[in-house]
PDB file of all heavy atoms in Angstrom:
ATOM      1  N   ARG A 155      73.704  18.625  39.766  1.00 98.00           N
ATOM      2  CA  ARG A 155      72.759  17.854  40.576  1.00 98.00           C
ATOM      3  C   ARG A 155      71.811  18.774  41.333  1.00 98.00           C
ATOM      4  O   ARG A 155      70.612  18.490  41.459  1.00 98.00           O
ATOM      5  CB  ARG A 155      73.528  16.933  41.526  1.00 98.00           C
ATOM      6  CG  ARG A 155      74.303  15.832  40.800  1.00 98.00           C
ATOM      7  CD  ARG A 155      74.974  14.858  41.748  1.00 98.00           C
ATOM      8  NE  ARG A 155      75.692  13.838  41.006  1.00 98.00           N
ATOM      9  CZ  ARG A 155      77.016  13.746  40.932  1.00 98.00           C
ATOM     10  NH1 ARG A 155      77.777  14.618  41.586  1.00 98.00           N
ATOM     11  NH2 ARG A 155      77.591  12.798  40.217  1.00 98.00           N
ATOM     12  N   GLU A 156      72.335  19.888  41.855  1.00 98.00           N
ATOM     13  CA  GLU A 156      71.478  20.837  42.568  1.00 98.00           C
ATOM     14  C   GLU A 156      70.473  21.491  41.616  1.00 98.00           C
ATOM     15  O   GLU A 156      69.291  21.660  41.955  1.00 98.00           O
ATOM     16  CB  GLU A 156      72.331  21.908  43.247  1.00 98.00           C
ATOM     17  CG  GLU A 156      71.513  22.904  44.063  1.00 98.00           C
ATOM     18  CD  GLU A 156      72.368  23.849  44.875  1.00 98.00           C
ATOM     19  OE1 GLU A 156      73.536  23.519  45.156  1.00 98.00           O
ATOM     20  OE2 GLU A 156      71.859  24.932  45.225  1.00 98.00           O
ATOM     21  N   ILE A 157      70.941  21.869  40.423  1.00 98.00           N
ATOM     22  CA  ILE A 157      70.035  22.474  39.442  1.00 98.00           C
ATOM     23  C   ILE A 157      68.934  21.488  39.060  1.00 98.00           C
ATOM     24  O   ILE A 157      67.753  21.847  38.966  1.00 98.00           O
ATOM     25  CB  ILE A 157      70.815  22.934  38.195  1.00 98.00           C
ATOM     26  CG1 ILE A 157      71.728  24.114  38.550  1.00 98.00           C
ATOM     27  CG2 ILE A 157      69.866  23.328  37.065  1.00 98.00           C
ATOM     28  CD1 ILE A 157      72.735  24.454  37.472  1.00 98.00           C
ATOM     29  N   ALA A 158      69.313  20.237  38.833  1.00 98.00           N
ATOM     30  CA  ALA A 158      68.324  19.219  38.471  1.00 98.00           C
ATOM     31  C   ALA A 158      67.296  19.047  39.579  1.00 98.00           C
ATOM     32  O   ALA A 158      66.084  18.955  39.317  1.00 98.00           O
ATOM     33  CB  ALA A 158      69.014  17.896  38.173  1.00 98.00           C
ATOM     34  N   ASP A 159      67.750  19.028  40.827  1.00 98.00           N
ATOM     35  CA  ASP A 159      66.827  18.883  41.957  1.00 98.00           C
ATOM     36  C   ASP A 159      65.892  20.088  42.055  1.00 98.00           C
ATOM     37  O   ASP A 159      64.681  19.947  42.235  1.00 98.00           O
ATOM     38  CB  ASP A 159      67.610  18.734  43.265  1.00 98.00           C
ATOM     39  CG  ASP A 159      68.293  17.381  43.390  1.00 98.00           C
ATOM     40  OD1 ASP A 159      67.919  16.454  42.649  1.00 98.00           O
ATOM     41  OD2 ASP A 159      69.200  17.254  44.234  1.00 98.00           O
ATOM     42  N   THR A 160      66.468  21.282  41.940  1.00 98.00           N
ATOM     43  CA  THR A 160      65.686  22.507  42.123  1.00 98.00           C
ATOM     44  C   THR A 160      64.703  22.730  40.984  1.00 98.00           C
ATOM     45  O   THR A 160      63.555  23.149  41.204  1.00 98.00           O
ATOM     46  CB  THR A 160      66.623  23.724  42.240  1.00 98.00           C
ATOM     47  OG1 THR A 160      67.524  23.526  43.326  1.00 98.00           O
ATOM     48  CG2 THR A 160      65.837  25.002  42.466  1.00 98.00           C
ATOM     49  N   ARG A 161      65.147  22.458  39.774  1.00 98.00           N
ATOM     50  CA  ARG A 161      64.336  22.757  38.592  1.00 98.00           C
ATOM     51  C   ARG A 161      63.452  21.597  38.139  1.00 98.00           C
ATOM     52  O   ARG A 161      62.656  21.758  37.216  1.00 98.00           O
ATOM     53  CB  ARG A 161      65.254  23.171  37.437  1.00 98.00           C
ATOM     54  CG  ARG A 161      66.098  24.407  37.706  1.00 98.00           C
ATOM     55  CD  ARG A 161      65.235  25.646  37.872  1.00 98.00           C
ATOM     56  NE  ARG A 161      66.043  26.864  38.006  1.00 98.00           N
ATOM     57  CZ  ARG A 161      65.529  28.087  38.137  1.00 98.00           C
ATOM     58  NH1 ARG A 161      64.224  28.256  38.151  1.00 98.00           N
ATOM     59  NH2 ARG A 161      66.324  29.138  38.262  1.00 98.00           N
ATOM     60  N   GLY A 162      63.626  20.449  38.755  1.00 98.00           N
ATOM     61  CA  GLY A 162      62.831  19.302  38.346  1.00 98.00           C
ATOM     62  C   GLY A 162      63.252  18.739  37.007  1.00 98.00           C
ATOM     63  O   GLY A 162      62.409  18.326  36.202  1.00 98.00           O
ATOM     64  N   ALA A 163      64.561  18.719  36.761  1.00 98.00           N
ATOM     65  CA  ALA A 163      65.098  18.182  35.507  1.00 98.00           C
ATOM     66  C   ALA A 163      65.551  16.738  35.701  1.00 98.00           C
ATOM     67  O   ALA A 163      65.876  16.308  36.820  1.00 98.00           O
ATOM     68  CB  ALA A 163      66.269  19.033  35.028  1.00 98.00           C
ATOM     69  N   THR A 164      65.585  16.001  34.613  1.00 98.00           N
ATOM     70  CA  THR A 164      66.148  14.649  34.608  1.00 98.00           C
ATOM     71  C   THR A 164      67.660  14.751  34.469  1.00 98.00           C
ATOM     72  O   THR A 164      68.165  15.653  33.807  1.00 98.00           O
ATOM     73  CB  THR A 164      65.561  13.838  33.445  1.00 98.00           C
ATOM     74  OG1 THR A 164      64.141  13.738  33.625  1.00 98.00           O
ATOM     75  CG2 THR A 164      66.155  12.441  33.362  1.00 98.00           C
ATOM     76  N   ILE A 165      68.370  13.830  35.084  1.00 98.00           N
ATOM     77  CA  ILE A 165      69.829  13.878  35.013  1.00 98.00           C
ATOM     78  C   ILE A 165      70.377  12.555  34.484  1.00 98.00           C
ATOM     79  O   ILE A 165      69.906  11.479  34.867  1.00 98.00           O
ATOM     80  CB  ILE A 165      70.433  14.212  36.399  1.00 98.00           C
ATOM     81  CG1 ILE A 165      71.911  14.561  36.286  1.00 98.00           C
ATOM     82  CG2 ILE A 165      70.194  13.104  37.397  1.00 98.00           C
ATOM     83  CD1 ILE A 165      72.470  15.211  37.535  1.00 98.00           C
ATOM     84  N   VAL A 166      71.324  12.659  33.551  1.00 98.00           N
ATOM     85  CA  VAL A 166      72.115  11.512  33.103  1.00 98.00           C
ATOM     86  C   VAL A 166      73.480  11.679  33.757  1.00 98.00           C
ATOM     87  O   VAL A 166      74.211  12.619  33.433  1.00 98.00           O
ATOM     88  CB  VAL A 166      72.235  11.462  31.572  1.00 98.00           C
ATOM     89  CG1 VAL A 166      73.170  10.322  31.142  1.00 98.00           C
ATOM     90  CG2 VAL A 166      70.867  11.286  30.935  1.00 98.00           C
ATOM     91  N   ASP A 167      73.806  10.792  34.682  1.00 98.00           N
ATOM     92  CA  ASP A 167      75.005  10.967  35.501  1.00 98.00           C
ATOM     93  C   ASP A 167      76.212  10.342  34.800  1.00 98.00           C
ATOM     94  O   ASP A 167      76.647   9.234  35.125  1.00 98.00           O
ATOM     95  CB  ASP A 167      74.795  10.343  36.876  1.00 98.00           C
ATOM     96  CG  ASP A 167      75.676  10.991  37.938  1.00 98.00           C
ATOM     97  OD1 ASP A 167      76.690  11.610  37.549  1.00 98.00           O
ATOM     98  OD2 ASP A 167      75.350  10.889  39.128  1.00 98.00           O
ATOM     99  N   TYR A 168      76.743  11.097  33.844  1.00 97.00           N
ATOM    100  CA  TYR A 168      77.891  10.646  33.043  1.00 97.00           C
ATOM    101  C   TYR A 168      79.060  10.232  33.939  1.00 97.00           C
ATOM    102  O   TYR A 168      79.760   9.260  33.656  1.00 97.00           O
ATOM    103  CB  TYR A 168      78.286  11.815  32.135  1.00 97.00           C
ATOM    104  CG  TYR A 168      79.115  11.513  30.910  1.00 97.00           C
ATOM    105  CD1 TYR A 168      79.416  10.221  30.520  1.00 97.00           C
ATOM    106  CD2 TYR A 168      79.572  12.571  30.121  1.00 97.00           C
ATOM    107  CE1 TYR A 168      80.174   9.985  29.377  1.00 97.00           C
ATOM    108  CE2 TYR A 168      80.329  12.350  28.983  1.00 97.00           C
ATOM    109  CZ  TYR A 168      80.632  11.059  28.620  1.00 97.00           C
ATOM    110  OH  TYR A 168      81.383  10.839  27.501  1.00 97.00           O
ATOM    111  N   TRP A 169      79.278  10.974  35.020  1.00 97.00           N
ATOM    112  CA  TRP A 169      80.379  10.674  35.940  1.00 97.00           C
ATOM    113  C   TRP A 169      80.309   9.237  36.449  1.00 97.00           C
ATOM    114  O   TRP A 169      81.321   8.581  36.637  1.00 97.00           O
ATOM    115  CB  TRP A 169      80.325  11.663  37.102  1.00 97.00           C
ATOM    116  CG  TRP A 169      81.375  11.492  38.157  1.00 97.00           C
ATOM    117  CD1 TRP A 169      81.351  10.637  39.224  1.00 97.00           C
ATOM    118  CD2 TRP A 169      82.621  12.208  38.276  1.00 97.00           C
ATOM    119  NE1 TRP A 169      82.480  10.771  39.994  1.00 97.00           N
ATOM    120  CE2 TRP A 169      83.269  11.735  39.435  1.00 97.00           C
ATOM    121  CE3 TRP A 169      83.212  13.222  37.514  1.00 97.00           C
ATOM    122  CZ2 TRP A 169      84.505  12.235  39.856  1.00 97.00           C
ATOM    123  CZ3 TRP A 169      84.439  13.716  37.940  1.00 97.00           C
ATOM    124  CH2 TRP A 169      85.079  13.227  39.087  1.00 97.00           C
ATOM    125  N   ARG A 170      79.092   8.740  36.656  1.00 96.00           N
ATOM    126  CA  ARG A 170      78.905   7.422  37.254  1.00 96.00           C
ATOM    127  C   ARG A 170      78.716   6.318  36.224  1.00 96.00           C
ATOM    128  O   ARG A 170      78.540   5.148  36.599  1.00 96.00           O
ATOM    129  CB  ARG A 170      77.707   7.455  38.209  1.00 96.00           C
ATOM    130  CG  ARG A 170      77.939   8.389  39.397  1.00 96.00           C
ATOM    131  CD  ARG A 170      76.721   8.468  40.305  1.00 96.00           C
ATOM    132  NE  ARG A 170      76.938   9.419  41.384  1.00 96.00           N
ATOM    133  CZ  ARG A 170      76.009   9.777  42.266  1.00 96.00           C
ATOM    134  NH1 ARG A 170      74.789   9.264  42.174  1.00 96.00           N
ATOM    135  NH2 ARG A 170      76.286  10.661  43.217  1.00 96.00           N
ATOM    136  N   LEU A 171      78.726   6.653  34.945  1.00 97.00           N
ATOM    137  CA  LEU A 171      78.612   5.633  33.898  1.00 97.00           C
ATOM    138  C   LEU A 171      79.995   5.035  33.659  1.00 97.00           C
ATOM    139  O   LEU A 171      80.723   5.413  32.743  1.00 97.00           O
ATOM    140  CB  LEU A 171      78.042   6.241  32.616  1.00 97.00           C
ATOM    141  CG  LEU A 171      76.612   6.788  32.722  1.00 97.00           C
ATOM    142  CD1 LEU A 171      76.160   7.350  31.374  1.00 97.00           C
ATOM    143  CD2 LEU A 171      75.636   5.714  33.205  1.00 97.00           C
ATOM    144  N   ARG A 172      80.365   4.102  34.491  1.00 95.00           N
ATOM    145  CA  ARG A 172      81.741   3.585  34.506  1.00 95.00           C
ATOM    146  C   ARG A 172      82.108   2.799  33.256  1.00 95.00           C
ATOM    147  O   ARG A 172      83.291   2.547  32.998  1.00 95.00           O
ATOM    148  CB  ARG A 172      81.951   2.729  35.756  1.00 95.00           C
ATOM    149  CG  ARG A 172      81.878   3.536  37.058  1.00 95.00           C
ATOM    150  CD  ARG A 172      82.960   4.592  37.101  1.00 95.00           C
ATOM    151  NE  ARG A 172      82.737   5.579  38.167  1.00 95.00           N
ATOM    152  CZ  ARG A 172      83.532   6.615  38.386  1.00 95.00           C
ATOM    153  NH1 ARG A 172      84.565   6.816  37.589  1.00 95.00           N
ATOM    154  NH2 ARG A 172      83.269   7.469  39.346  1.00 95.00           N
ATOM    155  N   GLU A 173      81.100   2.412  32.460  1.00 95.00           N
ATOM    156  CA  GLU A 173      81.424   1.727  31.205  1.00 95.00           C
ATOM    157  C   GLU A 173      82.346   2.583  30.338  1.00 95.00           C
ATOM    158  O   GLU A 173      83.186   2.058  29.596  1.00 95.00           O
ATOM    159  CB  GLU A 173      80.151   1.442  30.394  1.00 95.00           C
ATOM    160  CG  GLU A 173      79.059   0.692  31.136  1.00 95.00           C
ATOM    161  CD  GLU A 173      77.945   1.619  31.567  1.00 95.00           C
ATOM    162  OE1 GLU A 173      78.264   2.645  32.210  1.00 95.00           O
ATOM    163  OE2 GLU A 173      76.782   1.313  31.273  1.00 95.00           O
ATOM    164  N   PHE A 174      82.187   3.906  30.444  1.00 95.00           N
ATOM    165  CA  PHE A 174      82.944   4.798  29.574  1.00 95.00           C
ATOM    166  C   PHE A 174      84.417   4.916  29.963  1.00 95.00           C
ATOM    167  O   PHE A 174      85.181   5.594  29.287  1.00 95.00           O
ATOM    168  CB  PHE A 174      82.287   6.187  29.545  1.00 95.00           C
ATOM    169  CG  PHE A 174      81.033   6.224  28.727  1.00 95.00           C
ATOM    170  CD1 PHE A 174      79.784   6.082  29.331  1.00 95.00           C
ATOM    171  CD2 PHE A 174      81.082   6.375  27.356  1.00 95.00           C
ATOM    172  CE1 PHE A 174      78.618   6.095  28.579  1.00 95.00           C
ATOM    173  CE2 PHE A 174      79.925   6.392  26.594  1.00 95.00           C
ATOM    174  CZ  PHE A 174      78.691   6.255  27.203  1.00 95.00           C
ATOM    175  N   GLN A 175      84.816   4.238  31.027  1.00 93.00           N
ATOM    176  CA  GLN A 175      86.243   4.185  31.345  1.00 93.00           C
ATOM    177  C   GLN A 175      86.997   3.267  30.373  1.00 93.00           C
ATOM    178  O   GLN A 175      88.228   3.274  30.344  1.00 93.00           O
ATOM    179  CB  GLN A 175      86.455   3.696  32.791  1.00 93.00           C
ATOM    180  CG  GLN A 175      85.882   4.642  33.841  1.00 93.00           C
ATOM    181  CD  GLN A 175      86.563   5.996  33.866  1.00 93.00           C
ATOM    182  OE1 GLN A 175      87.745   6.111  33.533  1.00 93.00           O
ATOM    183  NE2 GLN A 175      85.837   7.033  34.252  1.00 93.00           N
ATOM    184  N   ASP A 176      86.271   2.493  29.579  1.00 92.00           N
ATOM    185  CA  ASP A 176      86.873   1.643  28.546  1.00 92.00           C
ATOM    186  C   ASP A 176      87.175   2.510  27.328  1.00 92.00           C
ATOM    187  O   ASP A 176      86.283   3.134  26.756  1.00 92.00           O
ATOM    188  CB  ASP A 176      85.910   0.513  28.182  1.00 92.00           C
ATOM    189  CG  ASP A 176      86.541  -0.545  27.298  1.00 92.00           C
ATOM    190  OD1 ASP A 176      87.296  -0.187  26.366  1.00 92.00           O
ATOM    191  OD2 ASP A 176      86.268  -1.738  27.521  1.00 92.00           O
TER     192      ASP A 176
END
Side-chain angles (χ1 to χ4, degrees):
R155 293 185 180 109
E156 182 173 338
I157 292 168
D159 288 343
T160 302
R161 300 295 185 179
T164 299
I165 192 166
V166 175
D167 206 339
Y168 200 6
W169 179 276
R170 296 177 183 174
L171 296 181
R172 294 299 167 181
E173 306 103 308
F174 285 96
Q175 296 296 331
D176 190 319

